[in-house]
């Protein structure tokens, strides 16, 4: 299968390449690394603001929200060009890609002005308060409560795995406002500034490194939140959640396809993979690109195919993990220290591309968890693709 694009898409690509050639920060400018997924160094704030002002932050958005009303195919080639350079458009990906996008879909004009635009312009950073102890991928099991008290809600409860919360200015927080409603109902969404009295944020290390502080526990004790900070109608948070994760999942398969293609270079059979493992990596890479491109074509025609996104997510995330595991097995003890990349480090890359094969394998688990675990995706596939009954 050979992907080709209409002239307007290729003109769009050429314009973006020209912008990158002229404006991409140099390594000398980008001296400070990001410390978490909500920590944006000052030079990176300037870079994100330039993208916003030029309409290149989220091209499918209208101009007032950092875009240029691009089509889905134009968005695709935009992401392709970022991938070729192994760079990202924001050091606060969940703030830009999930939280601001959710506010544009469900928020009031005031919320868009006061929260979404500052997040998109890197004036504020945001984190997603969704997972809880005992309620990770199962949002319906959340227990953090918000009780209405006049023109405020009083919030009590706990979140966990909240990436970047200790560096974020605001949390998009899912709370239960009607404990008597069925589990999928009675959920609301609140914007809670992290400096609100009663909010306690505690970062903790990941398995990758003791100084890799991105995950957090967040505690809410009698936190008063204005009703005007509610996103969407009361008790309609399930719809907001589906929309929030929908923003994350639409082209999520492309990130895995790009990563597999990076691995074709980084995990060359002479360095990491045996011939069988490399052949499997090649086949997985081509299969994901083929299936994803077919889904992209349907999306460009306005067809909605949510179950296919689940298939692509499982295929992509598990192919990345399988390749990383096989490479680690092959290189043996050297995998604990040897760099797992052939390309030079890039200051605009959120990934640690100078990390070892071991770290790269550990990080692959994020792909099988974030955006909906493989287990949840298989349930969706079973019910909506294969037509099997619910358990």
């Amino acid at each position: 299968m050979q992907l080709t694009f209409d002239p307007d898409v290729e003109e769009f690509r050429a314009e973006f390449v020209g912008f990158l050639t002229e404006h991409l920060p140099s390594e000398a400018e980008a001296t400070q690394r990001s410390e978490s997924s909500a920590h944006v160094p000052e030079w990176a704030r300037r870079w994100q603001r330039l993208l916003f002002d030029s309409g290149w932050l989220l091209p499918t958005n209208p101009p007032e929200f950092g875009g240029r009303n691009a089509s889905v195919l134009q968005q695709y080639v935009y992401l392709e060009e970022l991938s070729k350079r192994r760079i990202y458009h924001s050091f606060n990906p969940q703030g830009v890609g999930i939280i601001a996008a959710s506010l544009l879909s469900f928020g009031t004009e005031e919320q868009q002005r006061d929260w979404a635009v500052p997040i998109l312009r890197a004036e504020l950073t945001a984190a997603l308060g969704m997972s809880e102890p005992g309620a990770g991928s199962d949002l319906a099991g959340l227990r953090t409560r918000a009780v209405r008290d006049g023109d405020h809600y009083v919030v009590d409860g706990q979140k966990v795995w909240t990436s970047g919360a200790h560096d974020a200015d605001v949390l998009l927080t899912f709370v239960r406002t009607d404990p008597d409603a069925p589990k999928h109902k009675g959920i609301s969404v609140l914007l809670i500034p992290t400096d609100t009295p009663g909010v306690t944020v505690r970062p903790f290390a990941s398995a990758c490194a003791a100084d890799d502080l991105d995950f957090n526990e967040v505690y809410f004790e009698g936190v008063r939140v204005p009703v005007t900070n509610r996103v969407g109608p009361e008790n309609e948070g399930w719809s907001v959640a589906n929309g929030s994760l929908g923003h994350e999942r639409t082209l999520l398969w492309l990130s895995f396809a790009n990563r597999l293609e990076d691995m074709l270079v980084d995990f060359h059979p002479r360095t990491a993979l045996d011939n069988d493992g490399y052949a499997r990596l090649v086949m997985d890479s081509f299969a994901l690109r083929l299936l994803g491109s077919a889904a992209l074509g349907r999306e460009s025609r306005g067809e909605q195919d949510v179950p296919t996104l689940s298939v692509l997510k499982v295929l992509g995330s598990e192919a990345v993990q399988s390749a990383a595991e096989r490479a680690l097995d092959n290189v043996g003890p050297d995998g604990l220290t040897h760099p797992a990349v052939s390309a030079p480090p890039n200051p605009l890359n959120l990934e640690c591309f100078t990390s070892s094969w071991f770290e790269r394998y550990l990080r692959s688990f994020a792909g099988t968890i974030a955006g909906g675990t493989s287990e949840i995706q298989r349930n969706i596939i079973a019910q909506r693709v294969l037509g099997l009954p619910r358990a």
Side-chain angles (χ1 to χ4, degrees), residues 7 18 113 165 179 182 272 294 321 329 358 391:
R113 180 194 66 217
Q321 188 171 102
D329 286 342
F358 177 65

Side-chain angles (χ1 to χ4, degrees), residues 35-302:
E35 296 174 3
S36 79
S37 58
H39 172 254
V40 184
E42 186 54 41
W43 69 267
R45 290 179 187 265
R46 293 193 298 270
W47 163 244
Q48 183 174 322
R49 201 166 299 132
L50 175 63
L51 288 169
F52 178 94
D53 292 340
S54 305
W56 289 119
L57 182 65
L58 295 171
T60 55
N61 282 2
E64 62 269 27
F65 297 122
R68 48 185 61 206
N69 294 314
S71 69
V72 66
L73 294 180
Q74 289 172 328
Q75 170 77 356
Y76 176 86
V77 298
Y78 163 85
L79 293 172
E80 266 197 332
E81 293 304 323
L82 289 179
S83 173
K84 287 177 183 177
R85 295 158 180 79
R86 296 192 178 187
I87 61 176
Y88 285 74
H89 58 307
S90 173
F91 276 47
N92 183 213
Q94 72 274 18
V96 169
I98 300 176
I99 296 163
S102 297
L103 292 174
L104 298 186
S105 297
F106 300 98
T108 63
E109 289 185 8
E110 291 75 15
Q111 290 171 345
Q112 293 172 4
R113 180 194 66 217
D114 297 340
W115 297 102
V117 170
I119 291 170
L120 293 171
R121 287 180 53 79
E123 295 160 358
L124 297 174
T125 60
L128 186 64
M130 187 174 283
S131 296
E132 297 184 4
S137 293
D138 180 20
L139 180 64
L142 72 83
R143 291 180 291 180
T144 295
R145 294 185 60 177
V147 178
R148 184 75 176 260
D149 181 20
D151 58 359
H152 283 74
Y153 290 100
V154 180
V155 181
D156 291 277
Q158 179 188 358
K159 299 293 179 180
V160 73
W161 312 114
T162 315
S163 299
H166 60 300
D167 287 318
D169 297 299
V170 65
L171 306 174
L172 186 72
T173 312
F174 288 77
V175 297
R176 189 165 294 284
T177 43
D178 185 353
D180 298 322
K183 282 188 174 183
H184 289 75
K185 300 183 183 294
I187 296 172
S188 299
V189 185
L190 301 176
L191 288 162
I192 304 180
T194 53
D195 60 0
T196 305
V199 176
T200 302
V201 180
R202 296 177 181 170
F204 58 90
S206 74
C208 293
D211 59 352
D212 180 16
L213 295 179
D214 195 36
F215 293 141
N216 289 266
E217 296 176 302
V218 183
Y219 297 89
F220 304 95
E221 298 178 87
V223 178
R224 295 184 64 82
V225 182
V227 172
T228 53
N229 282 26
R230 188 186 67 228
V231 181
E234 187 172 271
N235 298 326
E236 296 295 328
W238 190 257
S239 298
V240 179
N242 286 333
S244 299
L245 295 179
H247 291 302
E248 183 182 23
R249 292 171 180 162
T250 302
L251 279 174
L252 185 58
W253 68 267
L254 180 58
S255 67
F256 294 118
N258 292 335
R259 193 163 301 189
L260 289 171
E261 289 172 5
D262 288 342
M263 286 180 165
L264 290 174
V265 177
D266 300 336
F267 289 5
H268 190 277
R270 287 197 297 270
T271 59
L273 289 175
D274 54 39
N275 288 335
D276 287 345
Y278 193 75
R280 178 178 297 180
L281 174 57
V282 170
M283 289 187 289
D284 285 342
S285 177
F286 275 79
L288 183 60
R289 181 70 67 172
L290 173 64
L291 294 172
S293 297
L296 178 70
R298 290 192 293 273
E299 186 178 354
S300 70
R301 296 189 293 272

